Amino acid sequence: MAAAKVFPLKCAVQHYAWGKVGLESEVAKLTLSNDPTVAVEQEKPYAEELAVQLHAQFPDRYPDKNHKPEMAIALTPFEGLCGFRPVEEIIGFLKNVPEFHAVIGNEAAETLENSPGDPYRVSAALKKCFTRMMNCEKKTFVDQLNMLVKRVLQEAAGGKDTTGSNGELLLRLHSQFPGDVGCFVIYFLNVIQLRPGEAMFLGANEPHAYLYGDCIECMACSDNTVRAGLTPKFIDVQTLCEMLNYTPAPANSKIFPSVRDPGDPCVFVYDPPVPDFAVIKIEIPCSAKRYTISSIDSASILLVIRGEATGTAAPSEVKIRRGSVLFIAANQAVDLCIRSVDGMLLFRACCML
């Protein structure tokens, strides 16, 4: 008997500390939609480089030798930090936020202020400043952070604009991670705002953090994550400071566009500059009762975000609904008989050969 070329996958969820809790989590809701017998624990969170060297040196901390580029596609309004800001913006924060200047120190701050115009000097100065901040004596940065939070709260209460201190985001992060040096990272990294359907690509060694919203995330197959703040997990400041890409770039350069398939108006392709993966978004209108998921020359994984259908890939048939995950073999099409009245939204992870 021939092996099935299309079949459902039963996927585990992860209770990462940064996930949303219980049924506030889109992951938990997708899991429950696909299998109503699943017991969602209301108190638990739900969530889904330099790698060869890290794996060789610290196999207990970094168990995988593969790199880890990632792409996040927003399902809801989404906010994240990604990549170093243009150096002029960071210098502006050094001038407007004295507490930030204090944790960097005068020498490093002056080095950065004198660096514009020379890309090599900018990267070296950024590394120096970021490393100084991440290695700042804990009492110093906690005292400075508390002073900053107090000042921003007073300014906000008095009706003063706190944009120059990135006040709204600072207070939000401090409420979630009080006393965490990561609260100062907002003055180094771009704040990225994505609308549903927009994506950001995170190259290996690119500093980033997800702050708000739900997304589809696709990445190279790696278990390695180097952390230094805004997390209760293991923190490795020295490795992070050495490995990062210190090339500044504006926020809009981090937003990764999709390309509409000229032969299928339902298909949008996100094809990042790495060979490891690509993502195809398939948005089927409510008027469609039948649709064919095209064959491609790569095995793929299909995730159903919205809608119900019966999928046929002769001789097999499979029922899919919100939360379903399917494996589709290379060069295999799937015919959908759509049962839902509000169309379908699907995401397909593959490798564009």
Side-chain angles (χ1 to χ4, degrees), residues 12-344:
V13 299
Q14 300 289 354
H15 298 289
Y16 294 135
W18 45 261
K20 293 183 181 179
V21 175
L23 285 175
E24 293 180 10
S25 165
E26 184 70 5
V27 172
K29 288 187 283 189
L30 285 169
T31 304
L32 190 62
S33 295
N34 186 48
D35 184 357
T37 66
V38 169
V40 174
E41 299 180 64
Q42 292 298 332
E43 75 283 0
K44 281 192 175 181
Y46 288 76
E48 138 208 68
E49 290 149 320
L50 189 71
V52 174
Q53 180 181 338
L54 291 178
H55 172 70
Q57 290 182 329
F58 309 109
D60 55 330
R61 301 180 199 166
Y62 307 107
D64 204 311
K65 64 181 180 180
N66 200 14
H67 69 163
K68 196 180 182 181
E70 305 175 21
M71 183 164 58
I73 304 171
L75 293 176
T76 64
F78 189 84
E79 182 181 45
L81 303 175
C82 182
F84 284 94
R85 295 172 176 270
V87 67
E88 294 78 11
E89 293 182 17
I90 300 172
I91 292 172
F93 283 124
L94 284 171
K95 293 178 179 178
N96 293 327
V97 186
E99 300 87 354
F100 175 48
H101 191 287
V103 300
I104 299 298
N106 291 331
E107 180 196 357
E110 185 176 343
T111 301
L112 187 65
E113 289 165 357
N114 293 330
S115 69
D118 184 331
Y120 177 81
R121 288 179 64 196
V122 166
S123 293
L126 269 180
K127 181 177 181 180
K128 184 174 186 177
C129 288
F130 188 81
T131 302
R132 289 285 177 88
M133 183 193 73
M134 296 305 300
N135 287 287
C136 180
E137 196 271 327
K138 184 169 184 179
K139 184 180 185 306
T140 299
F141 80 69
V142 169
D143 287 346
Q144 293 295 331
L145 181 58
N146 288 339
M147 285 191 289
L148 173 58
V149 168
K150 181 179 179 180
R151 177 171 65 80
V152 170
L153 284 171
Q154 290 173 342
E155 290 175 353
K160 186 175 180 180
D161 182 13
T162 63
T163 304
S165 299
N166 216 346
E168 186 278 330
L169 180 56
L170 170 76
L171 296 179
R172 179 152 42 98
L173 290 183
H174 185 260
S175 70
Q176 298 169 355
F177 300 94
D180 192 306
V181 70
C183 293
F184 281 114
V185 170
I186 61 175
Y187 302 121
F188 277 112
L189 304 187
N190 288 301
V191 179
I192 311 294
Q193 308 281 352
L194 300 180
R195 295 171 295 184
E198 290 185 326
M200 63 178 179
F201 174 71
L202 318 167
N205 301 341
E206 186 123 49
H208 67 276
Y210 297 158
L211 303 179
Y212 175 84
D214 295 307
C215 71
I216 296 292
E217 186 182 38
C218 190
M219 65 187 72
C221 186
S222 174
D223 286 333
N224 296 333
T225 302
V226 183
R227 307 174 185 88
L230 302 180
T231 177
K233 288 194 170 185
F234 172 75
I235 288 176
D236 190 345
V237 170
Q238 181 179 352
T239 297
L240 185 83
C241 291
E242 287 300 318
M243 67 179 276
L244 289 182
N245 176 2
Y246 289 96
T247 304
N252 59 13
S253 71
K254 303 302 178 183
I255 298 178
F256 189 79
S258 63
V259 176
R260 194 166 197 165
D261 187 325
D264 187 343
C266 298
V267 168
F268 297 81
V269 179
Y270 304 82
D271 189 11
V274 291
D276 304 74
F277 61 84
V279 176
I280 299 170
K281 181 178 78 168
I282 306 172
E283 193 157 15
I284 306 170
C286 57
S287 59
K289 299 305 175 188
R290 291 189 175 274
Y291 179 83
T292 298
I293 299 174
S294 300
S295 63
I296 55 176
D297 56 1
S298 163
S300 60
I301 296 174
L302 186 77
L303 171 62
V304 181
I305 298 297
R306 184 179 73 244
E308 295 185 13
T310 299
T312 303
S316 60
E317 182 178 281
V318 60
K319 295 188 184 303
I320 62 174
R321 56 187 172 184
R322 173 171 155 81
S324 295
V325 182
L326 294 184
F327 173 84
I328 303 176
N331 303 307
Q332 177 64 56
V334 182
D335 295 317
L336 299 181
C337 179
I338 300 169
R339 303 195 303 270
S340 52
V341 296
D342 57 350
M344 298 193 77

